[in-house]
Amino acid sequence: EPDRYTPPKASDASLYQALGAKEGISRVVEGLIQRSTTNPRIADKFKDTNLKNLREQLVDQICELSGGPCRYEGNPMRAGHEDLNLNMGHFNALVEDLQQAMDQEGVPFRQQNRLLALLAPMYRDVVKAPGR
Ligand code: HEM
């Protein structure tokens, strides 16, 4: 059996429902992309990005992580971010953009934190450790 990238998963669909299912997640991702691509701390990282693809991949990933009926089939996190040279400041900026996007959609604070807890372990794949 070959290795397959397996992110930590929500144990039920309650987070998926709290995010507003596929529709709500699509709106959160739209807000995240709008904010990130205009946020002076990170906007330049997205200048060569196919935003339509990014939107689709992020919706699938968040849908799957939150316990919804989707499967993420994009690149593994490390390969997808390696060339971007991301540091902790970039990561924090994106998380703040995500929090604002969830605020705007009325996602309750506790549910926001559940999603952030599922994303946090990806830090080590996304941010470039010195010397790696
Ligand atoms: C937990 C944190 C993060 C998650 C879950 C995440 C998720 C993703 C996903 C699912 C993709 C699509 C991969 C594909 O196309 O196959 C992607 C690509 C991308 N991400 Fe992230 N990301 C994170 C952090 C960041 C940060 C901090 C930045 C920059 C500030 C960033 C910038 C980008 C860019 C520019 C792309 C497109 C790369 C390309 O066009 O090849 N990401 N990310």
Side-chain angles (χ1 to χ4, degrees):
E1 169 107 304
D3 283 345
R4 185 183 164 261
Y5 171 68
T6 48
K9 286 225 195 123
S11 53
D12 61 65
S14 66
L15 177 56
Y16 175 71
Q17 295 304 338
L19 292 170
K22 198 86 184 252
E23 297 283 304
I25 291 170
S26 298
R27 289 193 298 271
V28 167
V29 166
E30 190 55 41
L32 170 62
I33 290 178
Q34 270 174 27
R35 284 179 163 77
S36 298
T37 54
T38 53
N39 180 342
R41 292 157 69 189
I42 51 175
D44 64 311
K45 299 290 179 188
F46 295 89
K47 68 182 187 322
D48 297 326
T49 301
N50 176 338
L51 295 179
K52 180 173 181 289
N53 172 67
L54 181 62
R55 188 178 294 117
E56 288 169 5
Q57 302 296 348
L58 279 171
V59 170
D60 275 351
Q61 187 187 45
I62 292 174
C63 171
E64 178 176 43
L65 274 174
S66 63
C70 307
R71 190 139 129 218
Y72 174 65
E73 294 180 321
N75 292 314
M77 288 296 94
R78 184 173 298 189
H81 295 88
E82 223 164 23
D83 298 336
L84 295 170
N85 280 309
L86 300 176
N87 62 33
M88 184 188 282
H90 299 130
F91 188 90
N92 290 341
L94 185 109
V95 168
E96 286 167 30
D97 287 341
L98 175 58
Q99 289 173 313
Q100 288 174 15
M102 290 192 287
D103 275 342
Q104 179 161 330
E105 289 305 321
V107 177
F109 185 67
R110 169 166 155 65
Q111 307 298 331
Q112 294 188 21
N113 282 340
R114 287 177 71 196
L115 179 61
L116 295 176
L118 293 169
L119 297 175
M122 298 180 192
Y123 178 87
R124 64 175 180 273
D125 292 330
V126 164
V127 168
K128 200 116 169 182
R132 191 163 77 204

